[in-house]
Amino acid sequence: QVQLVESGGELVQAGDSLRLSCAASGRTFSTYSLAWFRQVPGKEREFVAHSTWSGGSTYYADSVKGRFTISRDGAKNTMYLQMNSLKPEDTAVYYCAVYLRGAYYAPDGYGFWGQGTQVTVSS
């Protein structure tokens, strides 16, 4: 089965940029739709960005539109999240996952979650 591993999270200052990676192992998932979510302690997991396998369409949460960009490298079986103009409210653990069913923004419809990578944005 697919195993996802996130990396790239760091402590940065507001206004900085950061690129997160989601690497797949075990098999290719080039035909899967994938997404990034984020979560802070005590709160529900929040949708960030989604990338479809057909047509290369992308969808973003309103809170990150114009600042974040989701992309994929098929040769490396890796998905990226380029984050620009970071804000303190972007602080969270960021997860990648495979879309399985339902609404693209609903975490309950995803599986094969990675362990997450911590992003901290200081003010």
Side-chain angles (χ1 to χ4, degrees), residues 16-18 38 60 62-69 82-90 94:
D16 285 354
S17 296
L18 195 62
R38 64 189 183 187
Y60 296 92
D62 288 342
S63 59
V64 306
K65 285 181 180 178
R67 299 189 298 121
F68 290 11
T69 302
Q82 178 66 47
M83 305 184 294
N84 298 326
S85 301
L86 283 163
K87 305 175 180 179
E89 52 262 44
D90 295 319
Y94 283 72

Side-chain angles (χ1 to χ4, degrees), residues 4-10 18-23 36 78-81 94 96 116-119:
L4 304 180
V5 179
E6 302 92 340
S7 63
E10 296 179 8
L18 195 62
R19 189 181 75 163
L20 305 183
S21 298
C22 173
W36 288 96
T78 301
M79 176 175 66
Y80 303 98
L81 184 68
Y94 283 72
C96 58
T117 186
Q118 176 72 50
V119 173

Side-chain angles (χ1 to χ4, degrees), residues 24-73:
S25 63
R27 62 152 291 173
T28 180
F29 60 119
S30 60
T31 61
Y32 292 168
S33 294
L34 307 170
W36 288 96
F37 288 79
R38 64 189 183 187
Q39 188 169 30
V40 299
K43 295 187 178 295
E44 296 181 354
R45 194 158 296 188
E46 176 189 17
F47 169 76
V48 176
H50 177 104
S51 175
T52 62
W53 67 268
S54 61
S57 298
T58 58
Y59 303 91
Y60 296 92
D62 288 342
S63 59
V64 306
K65 285 181 180 178
R67 299 189 298 121
F68 290 11
T69 302
I70 188 171
S71 62
R72 300 163 75 161
D73 185 334

